[in-house]
Amino acid sequence: MNKIVNRTEYSENVVSLEVEAPHIAKSRRAGHFVIVRPTDKGERIPLTISEVNLETGTITLVVQKVGVTSRKLANLNIGEYILDLVGPLGKATEIHKVGTVLACGGGVGVAPLLPIVEALKNAGNKVISIIAARTKELIILEDKIRKHSDEVIIMTDDGSYGNKGLITKGMEEVILREKIDEALVIGPAIMMKFAALTTKKYNIPTIASLNTIMVDGTGMCGACRITVDGKTKFVCVDGPEFDAHQIDFDEMLTRLNAYCDLERKADEKFLAGK
């Protein structure tokens, strides 16, 4: 069991939890994730490690309340324990000095973006970060992204903060003004699909970090399977990062939506206290 030592509320539905996990903190690299089960009646869900503190032996997880299990996890308080925490899992991000990198995060996708932006900057790259959300209240980790970026652009759908428009608008404005050597996109699947279409138009190599349905996180169950360049891949062991221009996002979106009705009904029942 892993003790929660700090808790921060970013918004009504998004919180960060700092959790004691010294062995994971020591081994984690940018891009790694963990599988979490908050209680014995909870499902197993994947969460990227957004930060580590080697001195305290803790890792930080950002949780968005989207279903029963994520609500149970996000509702835990300081001093309480997470039942199961397994990791680090997946392949770490391949960090190289490539020149100028466009790092794009949407919503809670900014959490997994943070350690990668830090690693890219430490490798000597120029990092231009774009973080986006529907409204100002949903922008997270801005100060920490700024710490490791040469420039940060904020996009909000409603224009309540930064620039008004979708993240693709901000991406294209940067691409048209200077040479981008590589792009990274993390966020909702539909956002990554159109971000990838944007960079493909300009022949910019692009990596997408995926967060699919997972159960065991070791490649055994096959729940996280996707198609990349016509071949079946498993996000938990082959990823979570892939060439964004080779991902079949339409298939991924179909699989992600397969259980939406069941998840919604379970969430409504949980909120009703049944």
Side-chain angles (χ1 to χ4, degrees):
M1 297 178 72
N2 301 83
K3 185 178 180 179
I4 296 170
V5 299
N6 199 8
R7 183 179 187 275
T8 303
E9 290 193 10
Y10 291 125
S11 67
E12 182 182 358
N13 290 313
V14 179
V15 303
S16 75
L17 302 175
E18 186 178 355
V19 185
E20 289 181 345
H23 295 297
I24 296 176
K26 185 178 179 180
S27 303
R28 165 267 187 188
R29 291 166 56 197
H32 279 149
F33 67 93
V34 292
I35 292 286
V36 182
R37 188 168 67 126
T39 68
D40 59 354
K41 293 184 179 180
E43 297 175 303
R44 295 160 59 87
I45 58 173
L47 292 170
T48 303
I49 305 166
S50 64
E51 297 179 82
V52 299
N53 187 322
L54 295 177
E55 292 184 3
T56 59
T58 58
I59 64 173
T60 299
L61 308 173
V62 175
V63 187
Q64 182 176 22
K65 300 177 185 179
V66 293
V68 175
T69 298
S70 56
R71 287 188 189 278
K72 288 181 177 180
L73 180 61
N75 289 341
L76 293 176
N77 292 308
I78 295 172
E80 294 186 300
Y81 290 82
I82 295 174
L83 180 63
D84 294 325
L85 185 63
V86 180
L89 299 172
K91 292 183 177 180
T93 305
E94 294 185 11
I95 302 294
H96 307 286
K97 184 176 180 180
V98 296
T100 300
V101 180
L102 185 60
C104 309
V108 292
V110 177
L113 186 73
L114 176 59
I116 301 174
V117 165
E118 180 179 1
L120 286 168
K121 185 60 181 173
N122 289 340
N125 294 289
K126 177 181 179 181
V127 180
I128 301 173
S129 297
I130 304 178
I131 57 179
R134 294 193 307 276
T135 67
K136 178 180 179 179
E137 291 71 26
L138 299 178
I139 294 290
I140 64 171
L141 299 171
E142 179 186 348
D143 290 345
K144 293 180 179 180
I145 290 289
R146 287 190 183 279
K147 181 180 178 181
H148 304 293
S149 304
D150 294 275
E151 179 184 358
V152 175
I153 297 167
I154 308 294
M155 303 295 299
T156 52
D157 293 1
D158 63 0
S160 56
Y161 187 49
N163 303 306
K164 184 176 181 179
L166 300 176
I167 196 168
T168 48
K169 178 183 177 183
M171 293 174 66
E172 196 147 28
E173 288 175 354
V174 173
I175 292 168
L176 290 174
R177 80 177 192 219
E178 63 185 282
K179 182 179 183 295
I180 301 298
D181 297 290
E182 185 174 281
L184 169 71
V185 297
I186 311 179
I190 192 68
M191 181 218 95
M192 291 190 287
K193 173 184 175 179
F194 285 99
L197 289 173
T198 299
T199 58
K200 187 175 183 179
K201 184 166 61 172
Y202 297 99
N203 297 313
I204 299 170
T206 304
I207 298 297
S209 180
L210 307 183
N211 189 354
T212 53
I213 296 170
M214 289 188 193
V215 180
D216 64 273
T218 62
M220 295 293 289
C221 73
C224 67
R225 68 184 181 274
I226 58 168
T227 300
V228 181
D229 194 21
K231 301 175 183 177
T232 298
K233 299 289 182 179
F234 298 99
V235 173
C236 63
V237 290
D238 297 318
E241 296 173 8
F242 299 92
D243 182 339
H245 299 158
Q246 299 294 333
I247 297 168
D248 186 337
F249 279 107
D250 291 333
E251 177 195 58
M252 178 180 166
L253 285 161
T254 299
R255 290 182 56 78
L256 285 171
N257 292 330
Y259 302 103
C260 281
D261 288 342
L262 292 173
E263 291 170 344
R264 178 180 52 79
K265 291 177 182 178
D267 197 35
E268 290 173 351
K269 187 176 180 180
F270 175 75
L271 290 172
K274 298 179 180 180

